[in-house]
Amino acid sequence: MSRGYNFAAGPAAVPEAVLRQAQAELLDWGQARASVMEISHRGKLFAELAAESECDLRSLLDIPGNYKVLFLQGGATQHFAQIPMNFARRDRIADYVVTGHWGEKAVREAWTLADVRIAANSDASRHTAIPARDTWTLHADAAYVHYTPNETIHGVEFQHVPDVGNVPLVADMSSDILSRPLDVRKFGLIYAGAQKNIGASGLVVMIVREDLLERCPKDLPKIFNYAEHAANDSMLNTPNTFGWYLASLVFKWLLGEGGLVAIGERNRAKAEHLYAGIDGSGGFYRNPVEPASRSWMNVPFTLFDEELNALFLKESEAAGLLALKGHKAVGGMRASLYNAVTLEAVHALADFMRDFAKRYG
């Protein structure tokens, strides 16, 4: 069977060029005479890969020298708990801005570990709009302000980095990291599960300002302590070597595609094309998100008649358009347009949607 156009929300599409390179190198990587999965993470060859991958990521995001880059195990959900363990504990306020499912989950995990305060919540709009900055309640003595720049399920996204004053800004960028240029200097900490724009699941990339690592409690077990991971160059324990390798290939691919300026322009074009098709469908399709808060990465949409949902999914899959079923929390459909999703794929989806509406509208 030929590969389809993959619109999965995560684990998600990986650039085909990266998959082909990984396939070619699977049995015999570089000078190792073995797979990258079969060699020591402390050996010279993997150490070189680790250093080069960090250098490439720093180049892509223009990461300043006073930030550490960590390649950690797990997913973002693990770090929903680990972040307050390291930077807040029970005696510190931590402000959380909630704009969807993942922000809610971050709050639930942090609740027993820190004095969590909800600075803003978009639940009144059913998470279809970003609360205006002047409505937020922030604490000047908070350990940090946590937010989710892009919510994959509800399809809302911040179009700017919020100003939170001198309090460190912490961002779960699992679904929009590397999708456009970013000023890392505005953040205290950025973390991202890899399975959307970086590669395979099981790896988390973290960018953390060095001064924050001084807060990590000395009595915290080393395996949970970010300062310990930083001091050991992400090799405190055996890392996800294959995930790290795939990430290194993705970074190279991004650089070869022209970097984040070029990728950002492409992502903007993909999103605008699909939203134009939805808005121009005469009501056959609808996106519930306020236009100013619409995500470039995840586009949820509904059909005017829910009875057509099953047929839409059946016909779209037959047409090679994969993983379009929406999350159960919101229903309908969802197209995720991460970096590896091509403009050609988005045009194919928009064409199919237009034809489907013509036939069943």
Side-chain angles (χ1 to χ4, degrees):
M1 295 178 65
S2 60
R3 284 175 59 80
Y5 293 126
N6 185 5
F7 296 96
V14 176
E16 186 170 330
V18 167
L19 292 175
R20 292 192 180 280
Q21 183 174 347
Q23 180 186 46
E25 296 178 340
L26 187 60
L27 295 178
D28 187 4
W29 173 64
Q31 304 301 311
R33 298 191 296 172
S35 170
V36 70
M37 291 184 288
E38 299 174 305
I39 66 171
S40 172
H41 61 291
R42 301 192 187 281
K44 178 176 181 291
L45 292 177
F46 195 84
E48 290 174 350
L49 177 148
E52 189 169 348
S53 63
E54 178 178 335
C55 182
D56 287 342
L57 182 60
R58 285 185 177 276
S59 177
L60 283 165
L61 286 169
D62 187 26
I63 300 173
N66 64 324
Y67 284 74
K68 290 287 189 182
V69 175
L70 305 179
F71 292 84
L72 305 172
Q73 295 190 42
T77 300
Q78 173 183 322
H79 297 275
F80 291 165
Q82 210 164 327
I83 286 167
M85 288 167 64
N86 276 269
F87 302 120
R89 303 294 286 260
R90 294 179 184 275
D91 60 339
R92 292 293 304 275
I93 291 173
D95 285 330
Y96 278 72
V97 178
V98 178
T99 52
H101 173 86
W102 296 108
E104 291 174 343
K105 194 167 184 179
V107 166
R108 287 198 299 271
E109 292 299 311
W111 204 269
T112 60
L113 298 164
D115 183 4
V116 172
R117 309 290 179 91
I118 306 301
N121 197 334
S122 62
D123 59 352
S125 70
R126 297 186 177 182
H127 301 310
T128 60
I130 302 295
R133 174 62 185 84
D134 60 9
T135 66
W136 297 12
T137 302
L138 297 176
H139 298 83
D141 59 343
Y144 58 81
V145 178
H146 181 285
Y147 83 121
T148 311
N150 181 72
E151 283 282 357
T152 59
I153 292 173
H154 293 89
V156 296
E157 185 172 23
F158 283 76
Q159 303 303 321
H160 63 281
V161 177
D163 181 3
V164 296
N166 294 323
V167 176
L169 183 61
V170 173
D172 171 10
M173 288 195 173
S174 296
S175 55
D176 63 346
I177 194 169
L178 299 176
S179 65
R180 70 209 76 180
L182 178 72
D183 186 355
V184 171
R185 295 162 183 81
K186 294 182 178 181
F187 298 86
L189 183 148
I190 294 167
Y191 65 110
Q195 68 273 14
K196 303 176 192 299
N197 268 333
I198 297 175
S201 60
L203 177 75
V204 168
V205 172
M206 180 172 286
I207 304 164
V208 54
R209 210 171 63 214
E210 288 182 347
D211 65 286
L212 294 183
L213 294 173
E214 297 173 6
R215 297 187 188 177
C216 299
K218 302 298 184 186
D219 62 347
L220 194 63
K222 287 185 177 182
I223 195 64
F224 301 130
N225 191 312
Y226 293 140
E228 292 288 346
H229 284 279
N232 287 274
D233 298 321
S234 303
M235 302 285 185
L236 180 65
N237 62 332
T238 306
N240 178 349
T241 55
F242 191 70
W244 199 333
Y245 157 76
L246 280 178
S248 74
L249 297 186
V250 171
F251 300 157
K252 294 288 188 191
W253 177 79
L254 287 167
L255 290 167
E257 292 292 304
L260 299 191
V261 172
I263 288 293
E265 292 172 353
R266 186 184 305 172
N267 286 332
R268 180 193 294 275
K270 291 187 305 189
E272 287 180 348
H273 187 73
L274 186 54
Y275 282 121
I278 293 169
D279 294 341
S281 68
F284 189 91
Y285 303 105
R286 180 176 177 271
N287 172 267
V289 179
E290 175 188 81
S293 301
R294 283 176 167 178
S295 170
W296 289 10
M297 297 284 96
N298 308 98
V299 182
F301 60 94
T302 56
L303 281 66
F304 85 100
D305 183 356
E306 290 186 358
E307 296 297 320
L308 291 172
N309 285 358
L311 183 61
F312 181 94
L313 290 170
K314 180 181 178 180
E315 290 196 7
S316 61
E317 185 170 354
L321 306 167
L322 310 180
L324 288 168
K325 186 175 182 179
H327 192 276
K328 62 183 179 181
V330 296
M333 309 298 157
R334 173 175 52 171
S336 295
L337 312 181
Y338 302 124
N339 288 344
V341 177
T342 64
L343 188 57
E344 176 187 27
V346 176
H347 278 272
L349 173 58
D351 289 346
F352 169 82
M353 290 171 63
R354 184 166 51 250
D355 178 68
F356 188 89
K358 188 179 299 182
R359 288 185 287 115
Y360 298 105

Short mmCIF file of all heavy atoms in Angstrom, two decimals, residues 32-55:
data_model
loop_
_atom_site.label_atom_id
_atom_site.label_comp_id
_atom_site.label_asym_id
_atom_site.label_seq_id
_atom_site.Cartn_x
_atom_site.Cartn_y
_atom_site.Cartn_z
N ALA A 32 29.38 2.92 13.15
CA ALA A 32 29.17 2.05 14.30
C ALA A 32 29.21 0.57 13.96
O ALA A 32 29.48 -0.26 14.82
CB ALA A 32 27.83 2.39 14.97
N ARG A 33 28.89 0.23 12.71
CA ARG A 33 28.73 -1.17 12.29
C ARG A 33 27.65 -1.87 13.12
O ARG A 33 27.67 -3.08 13.33
CB ARG A 33 30.05 -1.93 12.35
CG ARG A 33 31.12 -1.37 11.42
CD ARG A 33 32.30 -2.29 11.30
NE ARG A 33 32.97 -2.43 12.59
CZ ARG A 33 33.96 -3.31 12.80
NH1 ARG A 33 34.37 -4.11 11.84
NH2 ARG A 33 34.53 -3.37 13.99
N ALA A 34 26.69 -1.07 13.57
CA ALA A 34 25.55 -1.55 14.34
C ALA A 34 24.48 -0.47 14.28
O ALA A 34 24.72 0.64 13.80
CB ALA A 34 25.95 -1.83 15.79
N SER A 35 23.30 -0.80 14.76
CA SER A 35 22.23 0.19 14.81
C SER A 35 22.53 1.23 15.88
O SER A 35 23.21 0.96 16.88
CB SER A 35 20.90 -0.50 15.14
OG SER A 35 19.89 0.46 15.41
N VAL A 36 21.99 2.43 15.71
CA VAL A 36 22.14 3.47 16.74
C VAL A 36 21.48 3.02 18.04
O VAL A 36 21.85 3.47 19.13
CB VAL A 36 21.53 4.80 16.24
CG1 VAL A 36 20.00 4.72 16.16
CG2 VAL A 36 21.96 5.97 17.12
N MET A 37 20.52 2.08 17.96
CA MET A 37 19.87 1.56 19.16
C MET A 37 20.72 0.54 19.90
O MET A 37 20.40 0.15 21.01
CB MET A 37 18.54 0.90 18.79
CG MET A 37 17.47 1.86 18.33
SD MET A 37 15.90 1.01 18.04
CE MET A 37 16.27 0.12 16.53
N GLU A 38 21.81 0.11 19.28
CA GLU A 38 22.60 -0.98 19.84
C GLU A 38 23.93 -0.54 20.42
O GLU A 38 24.71 -1.37 20.88
CB GLU A 38 22.87 -2.02 18.75
CG GLU A 38 21.61 -2.65 18.16
CD GLU A 38 21.92 -3.57 17.00
OE1 GLU A 38 22.58 -3.12 16.04
OE2 GLU A 38 21.50 -4.74 17.06
N ILE A 39 24.20 0.75 20.41
CA ILE A 39 25.51 1.23 20.89
C ILE A 39 25.35 1.99 22.20
O ILE A 39 24.27 2.45 22.55
CB ILE A 39 26.20 2.12 19.84
CG1 ILE A 39 25.41 3.41 19.62
CG2 ILE A 39 26.36 1.37 18.52
CD1 ILE A 39 26.13 4.43 18.77
N SER A 40 26.45 2.14 22.92
CA SER A 40 26.41 2.81 24.21
C SER A 40 26.11 4.30 24.06
O SER A 40 26.69 4.99 23.20
CB SER A 40 27.76 2.65 24.92
OG SER A 40 27.81 3.46 26.09
N HIS A 41 25.24 4.78 24.91
CA HIS A 41 24.94 6.22 24.93
C HIS A 41 26.12 7.02 25.47
O HIS A 41 26.16 8.24 25.33
CB HIS A 41 23.69 6.49 25.75
CG HIS A 41 23.79 6.09 27.18
ND1 HIS A 41 23.84 4.77 27.58
CD2 HIS A 41 23.85 6.82 28.34
CE1 HIS A 41 23.91 4.70 28.89
NE2 HIS A 41 23.93 5.92 29.38
N ARG A 42 27.07 6.35 26.09
CA ARG A 42 28.25 7.04 26.63
C ARG A 42 29.47 6.91 25.72
O ARG A 42 30.53 7.43 26.03
CB ARG A 42 28.57 6.49 28.02
CG ARG A 42 27.42 6.66 29.00
CD ARG A 42 27.84 6.39 30.42
NE ARG A 42 26.70 6.39 31.33
CZ ARG A 42 26.10 7.47 31.80
NH1 ARG A 42 26.53 8.67 31.45
NH2 ARG A 42 25.06 7.37 32.61
N GLY A 43 29.28 6.22 24.59
CA GLY A 43 30.38 6.07 23.66
C GLY A 43 30.61 7.31 22.82
O GLY A 43 29.78 8.23 22.76
N LYS A 44 31.74 7.33 22.13
CA LYS A 44 32.14 8.51 21.35
C LYS A 44 31.13 8.84 20.25
O LYS A 44 30.80 10.01 20.04
CB LYS A 44 33.52 8.25 20.74
CG LYS A 44 34.05 9.38 19.86
CD LYS A 44 35.45 9.06 19.38
CE LYS A 44 36.02 10.19 18.52
NZ LYS A 44 35.32 10.30 17.22
N LEU A 45 30.62 7.83 19.55
CA LEU A 45 29.75 8.09 18.41
C LEU A 45 28.43 8.73 18.85
O LEU A 45 27.96 9.70 18.26
CB LEU A 45 29.48 6.81 17.63
CG LEU A 45 30.68 6.22 16.89
CD1 LEU A 45 30.32 4.91 16.23
CD2 LEU A 45 31.18 7.22 15.83
N PHE A 46 27.82 8.18 19.91
CA PHE A 46 26.56 8.77 20.34
C PHE A 46 26.79 10.13 20.98
O PHE A 46 25.96 11.04 20.84
CB PHE A 46 25.80 7.85 21.30
CG PHE A 46 24.37 8.27 21.47
CD1 PHE A 46 23.41 7.87 20.56
CD2 PHE A 46 23.99 9.14 22.49
CE1 PHE A 46 22.08 8.30 20.67
CE2 PHE A 46 22.67 9.57 22.61
CZ PHE A 46 21.72 9.14 21.70
N ALA A 47 27.90 10.30 21.67
CA ALA A 47 28.21 11.60 22.26
C ALA A 47 28.31 12.68 21.19
O ALA A 47 27.88 13.82 21.38
CB ALA A 47 29.51 11.52 23.06
N GLU A 48 28.89 12.32 20.05
CA GLU A 48 28.98 13.26 18.93
C GLU A 48 27.60 13.60 18.39
O GLU A 48 27.31 14.76 18.08
CB GLU A 48 29.86 12.67 17.83
CG GLU A 48 31.34 12.59 18.20
CD GLU A 48 32.17 11.88 17.15
OE1 GLU A 48 31.57 11.28 16.22
OE2 GLU A 48 33.41 11.91 17.26
N LEU A 49 26.73 12.59 18.27
CA LEU A 49 25.35 12.84 17.82
C LEU A 49 24.64 13.77 18.79
O LEU A 49 23.95 14.72 18.37
CB LEU A 49 24.59 11.52 17.70
CG LEU A 49 23.12 11.60 17.29
CD1 LEU A 49 22.71 10.38 16.48
CD2 LEU A 49 22.18 11.72 18.49
N ALA A 50 24.78 13.51 20.09
CA ALA A 50 24.11 14.32 21.10
C ALA A 50 24.56 15.78 21.02
O ALA A 50 23.74 16.70 21.06
CB ALA A 50 24.39 13.75 22.49
N ALA A 51 25.85 15.98 20.90
CA ALA A 51 26.38 17.34 20.84
C ALA A 51 25.93 18.06 19.57
O ALA A 51 25.56 19.25 19.61
CB ALA A 51 27.91 17.31 20.91
N GLU A 52 25.93 17.36 18.46
CA GLU A 52 25.54 17.97 17.19
C GLU A 52 24.05 18.29 17.17
O GLU A 52 23.64 19.33 16.65
CB GLU A 52 25.91 17.06 16.02
CG GLU A 52 25.74 17.72 14.68
CD GLU A 52 26.36 16.92 13.54
OE1 GLU A 52 27.12 15.98 13.83
OE2 GLU A 52 26.09 17.26 12.37
N SER A 53 23.25 17.41 17.74
CA SER A 53 21.81 17.66 17.77
C SER A 53 21.49 18.88 18.62
O SER A 53 20.63 19.71 18.24
CB SER A 53 21.05 16.44 18.28
OG SER A 53 21.40 16.15 19.62
N GLU A 54 22.17 19.03 19.75
CA GLU A 54 21.95 20.22 20.57
C GLU A 54 22.39 21.47 19.82
O GLU A 54 21.70 22.50 19.85
CB GLU A 54 22.71 20.11 21.89
CG GLU A 54 22.54 21.37 22.73
CD GLU A 54 23.22 21.31 24.09
OE1 GLU A 54 23.43 20.19 24.60
OE2 GLU A 54 23.51 22.39 24.64
N CYS A 55 23.50 21.40 19.12
CA CYS A 55 23.99 22.54 18.35
C CYS A 55 22.98 22.94 17.28
O CYS A 55 22.70 24.13 17.07
CB CYS A 55 25.34 22.19 17.73
SG CYS A 55 26.09 23.54 16.79
#
